[in-house]
């Protein structure tokens, strides 16, 4: 596996592969790889000729006071995992390589970026859309793989790809969970043991909402009440948002029809966890 | 010459050419082609294997109350001109093909977009950057040609290309002028005869500034005074801005060193004309 740090080298690698008619699969990450990432890399490996994993803790998607500086990093371990899974390239650009001193250009996906996580993290999805577009332009992937845990991110990226006429195919992959149901996240490492035990409440709240959907409940308020009750059962859980939204527009639902997305963000101390579950009639 | 209206057809044409290793030259326009555009197409023809001219009056770069509805159009004449110059494709997408009903994504080039024309036309350069990025993604050009008359546009696009890691090479082409010096523009057709006669004041103001530069004048105020005097000599000329700026940052200069850009926008009735001149030591 090659470890590339230069944008030009990465472009050259991709140009060669594309010229040979090879399909490039791409898994963009911020590193500190867990089983969720590995499942993306495995699928990427199975579906493409070349596999590129990027590892870049993108400063433009962190707000002031967020965890950019303490975001967990372990390049050596990440590199071993990527090698073991048969990746061809680990692309680890440094900050100045990605954002020069007079960097001015940002991509904004309106509507979808201002709600849910975008409401508590202003500018977050602008940073995400911008870095993902840059990475797509550098890596030229045929397919790119994202986890469904970051549902809003996925919607923002899919909308950007459609609006900007990009050719990459976005592949959404199911959330990977710990045995008790907690969604895998690099940020889980921040949790103190007592918080870790309580953190299962996100998944359990979503499962409670799922049962309501299976029973045909159509009042959104009822979903919200059930999820809120489960979260606030835990002494250290501070909900950031608990919502039931239209899966396409991310707008709050009042009545539940054939499709709904339950989505939540909950803080434990300084750690902010997110999770979601999609409900679709005929699919549950 | 093929006239293509579909994004998919255009992409396919370009994909084929690129797969054959051909260089694609691209001239994006809003149509109503004049000698300025034709000079871009000629140069594009000389430097590339394939030539694509796009003709799209882009709604997102017009503000409310601007001239979107009355912007001059003549597809038949434009098509003849493109054919005569040996273009391979005239790409004329319609509005819904470019901006679907839930279009949300915009590109913002900060700093450069808010000054000069951006100050009197809020959102203009956001619309320009967005449509140019879309067109680049659809046409996949090796080189794209822009006129220096729209200097700020050129700076915005060059910055976007650098920041977003695009591979297209931006080629800046000299402003083409009428015999009396008026910069060619599709909007010149709006001018009443008396306005047309007065409109030469933009060029003459720039030439007066150029003489100051050649004489080593270093007080920016003096340039501004001389240009303003020449513009306000004309009874129907209403200056929008008259500026002397750093050619890279577009920030106002107080003292003039080795490089300066004189740039102005002047209204005649409803018509807004722009022009600029770059002064560089050793090049004047």
């Amino acid at each position: 596996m090659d470890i590339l740090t230069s944008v030009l080298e990465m472009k050259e690698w991709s140009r060669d592969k594309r010229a040979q008619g090879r399909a490039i699969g791409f898994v963009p990450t911020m590193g500190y790889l867990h089983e969720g990432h590995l499942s993306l890399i495995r699928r990427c490996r199975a579906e493409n000729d070349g596999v590129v994993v990027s590892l870049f803790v993108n400063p433009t998607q962190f707000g002031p006071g967020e965890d950019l500086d303490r975001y967990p990093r372990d390049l050596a371990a990440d590199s071993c995992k990527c090698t073991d899974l048969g990746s061809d390239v680990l692309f680890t650009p440094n900050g100045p390589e990605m954002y020069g001193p007079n960097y001015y250009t940002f991509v904004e996906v309106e509507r979808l970026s201002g709600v849910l996580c975008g409401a508590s993290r202003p500018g977050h999805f602008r940073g995400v859309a911008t870095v993902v577009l840059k990475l797509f332009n550098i890596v030229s992937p045929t397919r790119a793989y994202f986890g469904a845990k970051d549902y809003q991110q996925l919607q923002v990226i899919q909308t950007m790809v459609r609006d900007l006429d990009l050719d990459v195919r976005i592949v959404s992959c199911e959330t990977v969970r710990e045995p008790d149901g907690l969604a895998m996240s690099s940020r889980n490492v921040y949790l103190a043991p007592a918080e870790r035990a309580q953190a299962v409440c996100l998944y359990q709240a979503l499962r409670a909402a799922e049962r309501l959907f299976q029973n045909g409940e159509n009042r959104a308020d009822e979903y919200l009440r059930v999820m809120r009750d489960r979260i606030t059962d835990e002494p250290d859980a501070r909900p950031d948002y608990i919502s039931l939204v239209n899966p396409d527009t991310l707008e709050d639902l009042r009545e539940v029809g054939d499709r709904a997305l339950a989505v939540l963000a909950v803080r434990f101390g300084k750690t902010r966890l997110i999770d979601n579950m999609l409900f679709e009639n005929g699919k549950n």
Side-chain angles (χ1 to χ4, degrees), chain A residues 44-79:
Chain A
C44 181
R45 176 71 281 168
E47 297 179 350
N48 299 278
D49 303 312
V51 169
V52 177
V53 178
S54 73
L55 190 167
F56 180 63
V57 182
N58 173 40
T60 66
Q61 72 190 67
F62 288 81
E66 288 187 359
D67 58 348
L68 173 61
D69 294 333
R70 59 181 195 118
Y71 197 85
R73 291 161 213 241
D74 190 343
L75 177 58
D78 289 346
S79 166

Side-chain angles (χ1 to χ4, degrees), chain A residues 4 18 67 77 93 109-110 113 115 123 133 135 143 148-150 168 171 175 201 208 217 236 257 261 280 283:
Chain A
L4 302 181
R18 295 301 290 254
D67 58 348
V109 179
E110 296 182 345
S113 295
V115 298
L133 180 59
L135 289 168
R143 300 181 189 84
K149 196 204 74 173
D150 301 303
V168 55
V171 182
T175 302
C201 70
E217 176 60 60
D236 299 323
L261 180 81
E280 294 185 280
K283 302 201 183 173

Side-chain angles (χ1 to χ4, degrees), chain A residues 18 33 46 51 54 57 94 113 162 209 233 238 246-247 271 280:
Chain A
R18 295 301 290 254
L33 304 179
V51 169
S54 73
V57 182
N94 58 28
S113 295
R162 179 202 67 187
D233 265 357
R238 287 181 297 121
N246 175 317
T271 308
E280 294 185 280

